[in-house]
Amino acid sequence: MTQILLTGSLSKQVISIGRICGFKMKIDINLIQEFERSINTLHPEKGKIPIHILGYGEISLVFEFVNSTEPIAYKRLPIFDTEGQVKRHIAAYEIYHQILAKIGIEIPPEDSVWLKSNDETIALYCAQEKISSSSIGNSIIHHDISQNDIKILVKLIMRKLSKIWLFNKRSQKLEVGIDGQISNWAVKGYDPEDPGISESSELIYLDTSTPMVRINSVDAMEPILFLKSAPSFLRWALEALFLEEVVSRYYDFRLVTIDLLANFFKEQKPELIPSLIKLVNEFYLHEVPELEIEPLSYLEVDRYYNGFLGDRQIWVIFQAARRMDRYLQTRMLRRSYNFYLPGKITR
Ligand SMILES: Nc1ncnc2c1ncn2[C@@H]1O[C@H](COP(=O)(O)OP(=O)(O)OP(=O)(O)O)[C@@H](O)[C@H]1O
Ligand SMILES: [Mg+2]
């Protein structure tokens, strides 16, 4: 880990920067540093350093710098209290990427850099080669593609996901998790002018910034970091009630599949769900019988998303609480707010 001490003139100053050795991408550190100093979390695209938003997750947003010639997508994670935490996170992130590659889940070239400021924030910038947005799963399913092609896409995702659990079954020391949602996958070489998916289409996994790997049953990343973007008034309750469940969900093939299929409610394509359930159940039975996964039912997928305190309600409540927290922090307490919040999400 290299560290460079810096000085600056704005009230928010970056006081140290950390980067792993063997730089993998052409990250413009000066630009990131200037960006971090002048960040505008309220109006992401109106900051001093212009950015273009590439996509929103529930927690963070992915963007590129308008004035950079490098095709790099960044995700800013301002969730660390100590340098020890961010270093542990990067180590976990590196291990996770190596394991995914070894298992046969391709990811884009990636890199990372962290910055510590004089206001005590430590933000990790995860960098990834920029992928054309029309090749990302949630875009593909909304453009000129047949239902049959969507089914093939889901089958290809299932094939990738099953590699994780086939690995976990064999592995003594390591256990890997993954977030299988449709928006986390891109189709290599996808041509929106000639859309279509075939059994030989190749997928790339994008959502690599949350390293889900356990070494001898210990989470490589600190699980509590999952909750760092939650309002402080909710964090203790979330930790007590949901943290274990939320993290464990990504290590369970059946639950990851339910989450993937329930995503079609959010993507406004619920009519596809029954046939996707059939496809998944056939996949469990014929392609990975050794994993002995119980078949899914429509009721389960529906309840998971639409039920009382199901995925839809949880995220609506969570995002409303974050907006309330931002209001309290910025308007009442006159503090800065460190996270980007997504706009209105149709669910
Ligand atoms: N390398 C990339 N190039 C272009 N767009 C990207 C890239 N990585 C992510 N995106 C876009 O940003 C969206 C969110 O990215 P990602 O899935 O990594 O975040 P997320 O984990 O879902 O967010 P969160 O953890 O905050 O919920 C993706 O669905 C995609 O549209
Ligand atoms: Mg995602």
Side-chain angles (χ1 to χ4, degrees):
M1 197 86 59
T2 48
Q3 281 202 20
I4 311 154
L5 279 177
L6 300 152
T7 52
S9 56
L10 295 180
S11 61
K12 175 164 175 164
Q13 290 174 21
V14 173
I15 52 172
S16 58
I17 295 184
R19 201 162 173 208
I20 42 167
C21 301
F23 303 161
K24 293 183 253 173
M25 298 183 89
K26 281 194 186 160
I27 294 182
D28 185 341
I29 305 250
N30 290 334
L31 192 63
I32 297 181
Q33 186 195 331
E34 199 48 39
F35 179 71
E36 182 65 25
R37 273 157 42 121
S38 57
I39 190 149
N40 184 346
T41 53
L42 207 52
H43 305 289
E45 287 180 311
K46 293 191 183 148
K48 186 177 157 214
I49 305 289
I51 60 168
H52 168 233
I53 296 172
L54 296 170
Y56 274 102
E58 295 284 359
I59 306 293
S60 43
L61 62 78
V62 175
F63 63 90
E64 64 182 335
F65 289 109
V66 172
N67 295 332
S68 166
T69 48
E70 297 297 325
I72 300 180
Y74 289 96
K75 194 189 272 185
R76 176 179 178 268
L77 301 177
I79 55 176
F80 307 95
D81 294 322
T82 64
E83 291 185 18
Q85 272 182 336
V86 73
K87 287 175 185 167
R88 173 172 164 182
H89 196 82
I90 294 172
Y93 176 78
E94 293 287 312
I95 293 171
Y96 188 54
H97 299 172
Q98 282 166 18
I99 298 174
L100 289 180
K102 185 173 153 215
I103 291 176
I105 297 182
E106 190 179 338
I107 61 173
E110 46 74 33
D111 203 339
S112 65
V113 57
W114 59 266
L115 295 85
K116 183 176 179 182
S117 301
N118 57 346
D119 63 0
E120 293 297 307
T121 50
I122 299 179
L124 173 65
Y125 284 77
C126 297
Q128 214 176 50
E129 186 176 276
K130 182 185 157 189
I131 305 289
S132 151
S133 61
S134 57
S135 71
I136 299 176
N138 58 324
S139 165
I140 291 179
I141 63 169
H142 290 293
H143 291 100
D144 283 341
I145 175 172
S146 68
Q147 291 206 353
N148 196 46
D149 281 4
I150 296 181
K151 282 165 74 176
I152 298 174
L153 178 61
V154 170
K155 199 203 286 182
L156 295 176
I157 294 175
M158 291 301 291
R159 286 205 180 121
K160 288 287 180 192
L161 293 177
S162 66
K163 288 176 189 280
I164 298 263
W165 280 275
L166 291 169
F167 171 83
N168 286 344
K169 195 173 155 73
R170 289 193 312 269
S171 170
Q172 305 278 321
K173 195 174 144 206
L174 298 169
E175 188 185 3
V176 187
I178 194 164
D179 177 352
Q181 296 206 339
I182 195 90
S183 57
N184 291 343
W185 301 92
V187 177
K188 256 174 124 173
Y190 191 78
D191 179 4
E193 300 299 319
D194 181 20
I197 308 280
S198 76
E199 293 266 347
S200 59
S201 299
E202 288 178 48
L203 301 187
I204 311 182
Y205 182 67
L206 301 180
D207 202 343
T208 55
S209 59
T210 312
M212 281 182 258
V213 52
R214 291 173 171 155
I215 306 170
N216 293 325
S217 307
V218 178
D219 286 288
M221 74 170 269
E222 250 180 89
I224 194 77
L225 295 177
F226 269 100
L227 298 182
K228 279 307 286 290
S229 79
S232 46
F233 58 80
L234 271 188
R235 223 174 283 158
W236 67 270
L238 291 173
E239 183 180 354
L241 297 173
F242 297 116
L243 182 58
E244 173 60 27
E245 191 189 320
V246 167
V247 179
S248 297
R249 183 200 273 190
Y250 299 107
Y251 290 86
D252 181 319
F253 192 12
R254 202 166 177 279
L255 291 178
V256 167
T257 317
I258 291 177
D259 193 53
L260 164 66
L261 298 192
N263 218 208
F264 283 80
F265 283 116
K266 182 176 171 186
E267 296 293 342
Q268 312 298 313
K269 290 200 170 286
E271 69 281 4
L272 291 177
I273 294 176
S275 60
L276 293 176
I277 290 176
K278 190 161 170 278
L279 177 147
V280 159
N281 287 339
E282 281 168 10
F283 180 88
Y284 286 155
L285 190 65
H286 299 299
E287 297 210 20
V288 285
E290 64 272 51
L291 294 178
E292 296 177 18
I293 314 275
E294 287 274 308
L296 307 181
S297 71
Y298 182 82
L299 197 65
E300 265 178 303
V301 178
D302 183 47
R303 208 181 278 150
Y304 171 85
Y305 192 73
N306 296 313
F308 176 64
L309 286 187
D311 212 50
R312 183 205 303 261
Q313 279 184 0
I314 291 275
W315 284 115
V316 168
I317 295 168
F318 182 73
Q319 298 300 5
R322 292 175 87 201
R323 282 194 295 276
M324 195 163 98
D325 187 39
R326 180 171 69 181
Y327 182 82
L328 285 173
Q329 300 290 338
T330 56
R331 299 288 168 80
M332 317 286 272
L333 301 172
R334 303 269 160 209
R335 293 191 191 139
S336 61
Y337 187 75
N338 212 2
F339 292 92
Y340 289 119
L341 301 188
K344 192 169 162 28
I345 301 175
T346 312
R347 297 175 196 273

